[in-house]
Amino acid sequence: GLELYFDLDHSCTMHGEASSKGNNTWVYKGSGDTKDGGCTLELVFGKDYVDLKDTSGGCQEYWCGARGNLDGARFPLKNKRADTKKCGR
């Protein structure tokens, strides 16, 4: 799960399971029978960061407010912490 916050209280709150694509990449695909069916989010892990890629914009459309954006977000892994809550549930 993830929660990102943007201007004017807009956010992206997303949860689900991703599958390994290889090459340090994991992919979440929305289910075709739900509203997030157009969502394909890639999580690409580098040595000390993780990048989010939502090239179609389908994840942003379903999981984010008007000013929220997932594509191109990068997070340093040094800030990783234990999961203390169930994001989006």
Side-chain angles (χ1 to χ4, degrees):
L2 61 86
E3 290 180 287
L4 305 176
Y5 297 96
F6 302 90
D7 291 343
L8 301 173
D9 292 328
H10 290 265
S11 65
C12 296
T13 302
M14 184 176 184
H15 57 87
E17 293 184 31
S19 301
S20 176
K21 182 179 173 181
N23 294 331
N24 297 321
T25 301
W26 289 75
V27 177
Y28 167 85
K29 287 190 176 252
S31 173
D33 60 348
T34 63
K35 290 182 180 181
D36 75 333
C39 173
T40 300
L41 183 71
E42 288 191 2
L43 295 90
V44 181
F45 289 84
K47 180 180 176 187
D48 55 0
Y49 63 86
V50 61
D51 285 332
L52 303 182
K53 295 183 180 183
D54 177 26
T55 54
S56 71
C59 299
Q60 175 184 352
E61 184 178 320
Y62 183 76
W63 294 101
C64 299
R67 290 179 177 83
N69 187 14
L70 296 168
D71 190 51
R74 174 177 273 192
F75 302 96
L77 292 176
K78 69 180 180 180
N79 294 337
K80 183 180 177 187
R81 60 183 181 179
D83 186 9
T84 58
K85 62 183 177 178
K86 299 296 180 193
C87 179
R89 295 186 185 183

